[in-house]
Amino acid sequence: MNKVTVLGSLNVDSILRFKRFPKPGETLPLTGKSVAGGGKGANQAIAAARAGAQTTFIGKVGTDQEGAFMVQQLTNSGVNDQYVQHSNVASTGSAFILLDSSSENRILIDGGTNQQVTAEDVERAQPAISASTFLIAQFETPIAATIRGFELAQAAGQKTILNPAPATTTVPAELLATTDLIVPNETETETLTGVHITDEQSMIQGAQKLQALGVANVIITVGSKGAFWMRGAEHGFVPAYKVEAVDTTAAGDTFIGALSSVLMPDFSNLAAAVRFANRASSIAVQKLGAQPSIPTKEAIEAAERA
């Protein structure tokens, strides 16, 4: 069983559904609204735990009802919340997900306590990091904390996975130097490398540029098409499973969490792990809400047998 630690965000998601996005100055009625647990970090941790990994979370919530709700979402899925700090300086992070009838989403985020995660918070979690197969992080918490976490993981001989989202044009060299696997989508790949992803050749070019920045292993996710992987000079493309999407909000996070649950620390089974992660994502997009849609290992394996 892989041991996974996730450093990242916890957000309460407010999901607003409507037929189409309004034009400037236009008012439209909602077709529905709901609340669910979210945040890229929490989603990835829950996905890893439900897929069978022993999972620990590093993050921060407020001393409010939303914070208690988010911690409960972690523990309900078997995620260790020992290193989730509580702050009375800011409120728990929140996100507003705008979802139209074609399942296209746009997301607005208030970082709240996610932006207060510090290197010192990460250092408190060193026992978990040192014992983990993988440490996963994204960009919804301060990069300084992520750099410290990756340094601790590297010092302990453990592997790191970076999801460079939300996209940013400036990633510190010291973070990339301690990243073993980077998992951007096509937009994030273009932001980081300048390569516009249109076909497999551009995926190869983008992945090679990421390798030139210091990351040996690369996965580029391309939504409903699938995912491209590169390990050293080896590479391949794994098509996505064709399903009717209802809500794609947690698709990428489910992919990363499920991937980490089965990936070997030497990345030797990268292609097979991508296939498993694709299957998990295909299940997640068929349900509404980020965390409610994340499948269990049993559901993933049942879908594989079907």
Side-chain angles (χ1 to χ4, degrees):
M1 177 190 293
N2 279 356
K3 294 183 178 180
V4 175
T5 295
V6 179
L7 164 61
S9 55
L10 303 109
N11 290 329
V12 175
D13 290 349
S14 296
I15 305 161
L16 307 178
R17 301 191 298 280
F18 39 81
K19 289 185 178 179
R20 61 175 175 81
F21 290 96
K23 300 174 183 177
E26 184 181 22
T27 300
L28 293 176
L30 293 177
T31 59
K33 63 179 180 178
S34 57
V35 175
K40 295 189 69 62
N43 294 345
Q44 291 170 16
I46 287 173
R50 290 184 186 170
Q54 183 177 324
T55 309
T56 299
F57 195 83
I58 306 170
K60 191 167 284 188
V61 295
T63 54
D64 46 29
Q65 290 183 341
E66 290 78 9
F69 171 77
M70 286 309 305
V71 171
Q72 191 65 54
Q73 302 314 296
L74 295 177
T75 57
N76 285 350
S77 293
V79 178
N80 179 1
D81 68 340
Q82 179 180 355
Y83 300 105
V84 177
Q85 303 290 318
H86 295 258
S87 170
N88 58 10
V89 176
S91 59
T92 300
S94 57
F96 300 87
I97 299 170
L98 313 179
L99 186 67
D100 73 5
S101 59
S102 67
S103 299
E104 180 183 348
N105 67 57
R106 299 177 187 177
I107 303 174
L108 303 171
I109 293 177
D110 174 19
T113 49
N114 294 315
Q115 296 305 311
Q116 295 184 339
V117 177
T118 66
E120 290 74 21
D121 295 325
V122 175
E123 288 171 353
R124 293 189 192 99
Q126 182 174 3
I129 294 171
S130 298
S132 292
T133 315
F134 297 106
L135 173 64
I136 303 174
Q138 327 77 35
F139 287 158
E140 288 186 343
T141 49
I143 287 181
T146 302
I147 291 172
R148 186 58 182 142
F150 278 26
E151 288 173 347
L152 292 172
Q154 187 177 64
Q158 311 297 20
K159 302 300 183 181
T160 58
I161 300 174
L162 179 64
N163 174 214
T168 177
T169 56
T170 55
V171 181
E174 58 264 45
L175 179 58
L176 293 172
T178 53
T179 298
D180 295 298
L181 169 65
I182 191 167
V183 190
N185 63 22
E186 65 268 50
T187 302
E188 292 148 5
T189 300
E190 182 173 359
T191 299
L192 289 169
T193 68
V195 176
H196 182 55
I197 302 300
T198 56
D199 54 18
E200 189 164 353
Q201 188 55 46
S202 61
M203 293 177 203
I204 292 171
Q205 184 182 359
Q208 288 174 336
K209 286 203 170 187
L210 290 168
Q211 286 183 327
L213 293 174
V215 186
N217 305 286
V218 178
I219 296 173
I220 300 173
T221 59
V222 284
S224 61
K225 296 177 183 177
F228 173 87
W229 61 270
M230 181 173 283
R231 174 177 176 254
E234 299 177 317
H235 62 81
F237 186 83
V238 181
Y241 295 90
K242 301 303 179 184
V243 297
E244 190 70 30
V246 173
D247 181 2
T248 60
T249 303
D253 297 333
T254 298
F255 179 97
I256 292 171
L259 179 93
S260 71
S261 74
V262 297
L263 186 61
M264 300 292 291
D266 62 358
F267 303 102
S268 58
N269 69 332
L270 190 57
V274 168
R275 282 192 293 274
F276 181 82
N278 273 352
R279 177 63 81 181
S281 288
S282 76
I283 298 171
V285 300
Q286 296 179 68
K287 292 180 64 178
L288 186 65
Q291 290 168 14
S293 71
I294 297 171
T296 62
K297 180 180 180 181
E298 292 74 20
I300 300 167
E301 291 176 343
E304 286 283 82
R305 293 191 298 267

